[in-house]
Amino acid sequence: MSLATLDGSPHRGCGGRYALHGETVTLRISGMSAEVAREFFRCEKCGYENRTIEQRDLAEKAAAETIRAEHELLTPKAIRQLREGLGLTVAQLADLCYGTPKGIVEGWEKGKYLQNREADALLRSLTDRDTLERRAARAGVVLPSTEPLAETPSTTMAATA
Ligand SMILES: [Zn+2]
């Protein structure tokens, strides 16, 4: 499965060999938790356990997916589409989320971080124009104009004609 596998390779500490095992662990992310399967290596001679970064990452990703589905949280793609649909930059969206750091919002959109339920509800609430305008006023965010751009040239043409 991976190049980083230790299966069958020697444990230098004792001269035994590692074998692949599985365990069920509960992982917590953003105040939510999920039970996932995680692989690890155990030395068959001395029992030393070794969990590689890759094994931890895979389990973290699985937990994030489980939690996202269970709590019906927005997907990274949905968050980006929501932001782009509102014509906001990442920095502006971060400001609208009670000044959440820009890097965190970027992480949400890249699936690197998982938004908690409060942040998810807040993101969804921004599709309501009144809520968006109220938050923008409070956060000092200048929203893009909702006026149709096509009107400006035609008005100009009418004036010059
Ligand atoms: Zn060993």
Side-chain angles (χ1 to χ4, degrees), residues 74-83 108-109 115 123:
L74 292 165
T75 62
K77 194 180 169 191
I79 295 171
R80 185 168 51 82
Q81 284 174 342
L82 186 150
R83 176 178 62 74
W108 292 344
E109 292 193 359
Q115 71 278 12
L123 288 168

Side-chain angles (χ1 to χ4, degrees), residues 48-127:
Y48 178 80
E49 294 180 356
N50 194 330
R51 289 167 179 81
T52 66
I53 289 168
E54 191 177 33
Q55 287 169 330
R56 290 169 191 273
D57 282 353
L58 278 173
E60 283 277 330
K61 280 201 185 103
E65 285 311 306
T66 304
I67 290 168
R68 193 189 302 284
E70 195 175 312
H71 295 280
E72 296 180 343
L73 302 175
L74 292 165
T75 62
K77 194 180 169 191
I79 295 171
R80 185 168 51 82
Q81 284 174 342
L82 186 150
R83 176 178 62 74
E84 289 175 350
L86 297 172
L88 299 170
T89 64
V90 172
Q92 286 177 318
L93 181 58
D95 286 343
L96 290 172
C97 294
Y98 296 120
T100 299
K102 184 168 161 264
I104 298 289
V105 175
E106 272 169 353
W108 292 344
E109 292 193 359
K110 286 175 181 162
K112 189 175 163 199
Y113 302 125
L114 184 64
Q115 71 278 12
N116 63 24
R117 277 166 289 191
E118 289 73 21
D120 197 80
L122 197 155
L123 288 168
R124 288 172 193 271
S125 75
L126 298 178
T127 55

